[in-house]
């Protein structure tokens, strides 16, 4: 057993170091972008949705209401309290900014037919995921956001990384487990496949990026593209009083703003359907960041 | 000599175990019910005016993290409990500084580490429950994880199974987990769990 754990840890290290510091770049040669106005015209033209046989527990009314909310208020995506959907939340932020009409059409098709194509990727959710959508409870407002339940469960069912290897198939409650987890390279891969951005990345799942001044690094790129941070949220959002903590990244957030005054760095980031403002010291900033993904047109 | 030593070790173990069992059980609620009820009522009232949450992030209850929730932003600040900045900040965001400070004092007195309000949905209608976490004074075994006593206050009566475990409202055979924990009945609208994390 010990041997197995050692091998698994070595495997993690190799995977993690594989992308470390060198960054990963991908360039899409065809830009497929739509505007929010086009998406609003499309979604507002739909007045009623019949129930879908593919998603037995999804309410057609809640589905359509939720889809309209996503299109009209793109920052409303809420990955749910206690789930491991935060990476899919950050991905949604990028998708809805890049191609809201494509998102709306994809959701309508997958709702009606049970499978659909987005950016040349065919999504065919498993029957357990189709049965679970609409039944997630105690996840905050995600409980009544049936389009987002379909979206997040479908993404997590489709994209797999090494963190998902031990739990590849969905069982009830797996939205809170490793089944829904995302590591940095999986996140970058999802962005490259789902969105028409040029993406670069620094950092890894186990080691901090080789950046001497993270504040300057982030400030320099802010406004020129979308910055997603892979952070250890347990430092800023403590959950127990133990001083010794296993330091690993746990959360994806989209950086909206960063400013420095004296020894305080003020971060404004998006996650869980809203923006959060947080003040930390430069050393804590360095300590919490494990990965930075930068998506540019 | 050996018998005496064994007896003393056994006695000490029994005392330690009895302390642990006594503090981390539903007795905590019975002993502190009045203070907990006041904290819950005060918080509920203040939360209705402006949403916020409080968490003591230091072991010595000297640092409090305040989350102030507005329509556009959630602000997260860490303060020294006895410092002036906390009062200034609460005032800046239009919160009732004296009442919230009084709530912080009451929480500290009975070692409440966290208070927050969560939304949940019954028949698509929004409901709220309040979480209060307590860090009991107990002797921990070396390297054992910390233990927190978490109480959930619902607005309306809940369903429980024969073992007193909280059930999902819609499917009575399914346990309802809050923050990944199974909760046990104290009263029909109050339940508790013991967890390694306070939130």
């Amino acid at each position: 057993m010990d041997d197995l754990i050692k091998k698994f840890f070595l495997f993690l290290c190799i995977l993690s170091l594989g992308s470390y510091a060198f960054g990963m770049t991908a360039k899409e040669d065809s830009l497929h972008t739509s505007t929010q106005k086009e998406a609003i015209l499309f979604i507002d033209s739909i007045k009623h949705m019949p129930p879908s046989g593919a998603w037995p527990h999804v309410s057609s009314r809640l589905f359509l209401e939720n889809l309209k909310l996503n299109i009209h208020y793109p920052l409303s995506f809420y990955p749910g309290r206690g789930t491991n959907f935060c990476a899919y939340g950050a991905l949604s932020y990028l998708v809805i900014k890049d191609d809201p009409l494509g998102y709306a059409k994809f959701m309508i098709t997958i709702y009606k037919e049970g499978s659909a194509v987005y950016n040349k990727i065919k999504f065919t959710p498993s029957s357990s995921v189709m049965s679970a959508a609409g039944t997630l409870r105690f996840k905050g407002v995600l409980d009544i956001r049936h389009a987002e339940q379909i979206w997040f469960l479908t993404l997590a069912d489709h994209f797999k990384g090494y963190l998902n290897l031990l739990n590849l198939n969905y069982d009830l409650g797996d939205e809170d487990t490793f089944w829904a987890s995302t590591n940095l390279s999986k996140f970058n891969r999802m962005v490259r496949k789902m969105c028409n951005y040029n993406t670069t990345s620094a950092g890894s799942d186990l080691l901090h990026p080789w950046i001497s001044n993270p504040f300057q690094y982030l400030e320099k790129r802010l406004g020129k593209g979308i910055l997603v941070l892979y952070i250890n949220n347990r430092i800023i959002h403590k959950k127990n009083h133990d001083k010794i903590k296993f330091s690993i990244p746990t959360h994806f957030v989209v950086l909206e703003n960063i400013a420095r005054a004296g020894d305080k760095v003020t971060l404004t980031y998006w996650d869980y359907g809203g923006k959060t403002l947080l003040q930390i010291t430069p050393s804590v900033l360095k300590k919490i960041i494990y990965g930075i993904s930068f998506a540019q047109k | 000599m050996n018998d005496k030593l064994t007896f003393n070790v056994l006695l000490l173990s029994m005392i330690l175990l009895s302390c642990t069992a006594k503090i981390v059980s539903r007795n905590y609620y019975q002993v502190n019910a009045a203070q907990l009820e006041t904290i819950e009522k005060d918080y509920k009232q203040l939360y209705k005016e402006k949403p916020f949450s409080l968490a003591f992030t230091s072991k010595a209850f000297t640092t409090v993290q305040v989350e102030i929730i507005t329509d556009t932003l959630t602000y997260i600040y860490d303060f020294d409990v006895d410092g002036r900045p906390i009062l200034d900040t609460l005032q800046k965001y239009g919160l009732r500084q004296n009442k919230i400070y009084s709530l912080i004092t009451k929480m500290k007195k009975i070692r409440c580490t966290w208070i927050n309000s969560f939304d949940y949905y019954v028949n698509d209608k929004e409901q709220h429950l309040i979480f209060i976490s307590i860090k009991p004074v107990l002797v921990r075994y070396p390297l054992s994880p910390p233990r927190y006593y978490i109480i959930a206050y619902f607005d309306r009566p809940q369903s429980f199974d024969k073992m007193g475990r909280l059930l999902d409202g819609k499917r009575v055979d399914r346990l309802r987990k809050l923050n990944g924990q199974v909760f046990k009945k104290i009263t029909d609208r109050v339940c508790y769990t013991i967890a390694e994390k306070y939130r």
Side-chain angles (χ1 to χ4, degrees), chain A residues 25-45:
Chain A
T25 310
K27 184 165 180 160
E28 301 291 334
D29 46 19
S30 66
L31 291 180
H32 172 74
T33 309
S34 59
T35 63
Q36 188 187 16
K37 201 177 168 185
E38 289 171 320
I40 288 174
L41 277 173
F42 170 74
I43 204 71
D44 284 356
S45 69

